[in-house]
Amino acid sequence: DAGITQSPRHKVTETGTPVTLRCHQTENHRYMYWYRQDPGHGLRLIHYSYGVKDTDKGEVSDGYSVSRSKTEDFLLTLESATSSQTSVYFCAISEGWQGATPNYGYTFGSGTRLTVV
Amino acid sequence: GIQVEQSPPDLILQEGANSTLRCNFSDSVNNLQWFHQNPWGQLINLFYIPSGTKQNGRLSATTVATERYSLLYISSSQTTDSGVYFCGGAGSYQLTFGKGTKLSVIP
């Protein structure tokens, strides 16, 4: 298995509370991503990272922040959770380069199901 | 950004049938991938295929980058092929995904 784990797997939280989701990898891959999946919308990019402390916004970044203080961990924080952030959140990793060959193939984590009540 | 459209949105097959799923993208891509999401929600990478053709067992994929489309072929479908198939494209490394094709294979 590609070593990527997400925690927690399930979470129920109240509106207005902060929530942090964790993505941990053991592959030493450079790139990490957070997506959310909602019915009718497919997978939408929230934030991504291209190295330690290097992050950027994706398509649906409002209300979310991220941090990557070391290669293996990429944290997603909902600053003040709202019901519209009820979703399944997926983390993904990709290597970038395999020697002299580009390899941006994604490996996804198992997802976190977040419910905001 | 890149727009990705997948067709058909839904597909029902009898076990043993073949199928072709299509992914069109609005701009040139250097990164094109196909994924299968099984009924338990797990996303599995099937192909990383920015151009050309690849095969893996009963599955194969072809990307024609100059014409901005990719095809996923499933031959001799099995019930375990059921789920949602996503393609994702990018100019570099962060993928934009289509909305998927939901495949149901019935015995």
Side-chain angles (χ1 to χ4, degrees):
Chain A
D1 291 6
I4 174 172
T5 55
Q6 292 184 233
S7 59
R9 292 296 313 278
H10 302 272
K11 186 170 181 67
V12 180
T13 192
E14 292 187 351
T15 298
T17 61
V19 177
T20 296
L21 308 183
R22 182 185 186 227
C23 179
H24 178 78
Q25 61 142 332
T26 58
E27 300 298 313
N28 200 36
H29 284 184
R30 177 180 177 184
Y31 299 94
M32 300 185 76
Y33 316 85
W34 278 108
Y35 286 84
R36 60 178 288 175
Q37 184 176 31
D38 304 288
H41 290 279
L43 292 149
R44 293 180 292 173
L45 182 65
I46 305 171
H47 280 279
Y48 60 97
S49 170
Y50 47 96
V52 173
K53 297 186 179 178
D54 291 323
T55 64
D56 207 346
K57 296 179 179 180
E59 176 189 358
V60 290
S61 60
D62 286 349
Y64 301 95
S65 62
V66 290
S67 67
R68 191 170 179 200
S69 59
K70 45 187 178 177
T71 299
E72 56 265 38
D73 288 325
F74 192 32
L75 304 180
L76 176 71
T77 297
L78 288 66
E79 294 142 8
S80 177
T82 67
S83 59
S84 64
Q85 293 176 312
T86 292
S87 186
V88 180
Y89 292 85
F90 285 98
C91 176
I93 60 175
S94 65
E95 186 172 12
W97 288 84
Q98 204 167 27
T101 304
N103 180 13
Y104 293 104
Y106 275 26
T107 301
F108 277 97
S110 298
T112 294
R113 183 173 296 276
L114 177 68
T115 303
V116 184
V117 298
Chain B
I2 291 172
Q3 307 297 315
V4 180
E5 289 189 7
Q6 293 187 242
S7 59
D10 295 279
L11 186 59
I12 300 174
L13 294 178
Q14 202 76 36
E15 197 170 23
N18 302 328
S19 62
T20 300
L21 282 58
R22 186 177 179 102
C23 176
N24 291 331
F25 32 95
S26 62
D27 206 344
S28 59
V29 297
N30 295 309
N31 181 355
L32 193 290
Q33 301 182 41
W34 284 96
F35 299 84
H36 175 223
Q37 186 169 39
N38 64 27
W40 297 271
Q42 192 178 12
L43 284 156
I44 304 298
N45 193 314
L46 300 175
F47 294 102
Y48 168 62
I49 184 164
S51 63
T53 297
K54 289 186 178 180
Q55 181 156 6
N56 184 0
R58 296 180 297 103
L59 302 181
S60 64
T62 295
T63 296
V64 183
T66 53
E67 297 188 21
R68 302 180 184 174
Y69 73 88
S70 184
L71 302 174
L72 178 69
Y73 305 97
I74 305 174
S75 64
S76 304
S77 58
Q78 301 176 356
T79 56
T80 52
D81 295 330
S82 295
V84 182
Y85 289 80
F86 290 101
C87 69
S92 56
Y93 51 87
Q94 70 273 28
L95 295 177
T96 297
F97 285 88
K99 295 187 177 180
T101 292
K102 184 178 180 180
L103 175 64
S104 302
V105 181
I106 54 177

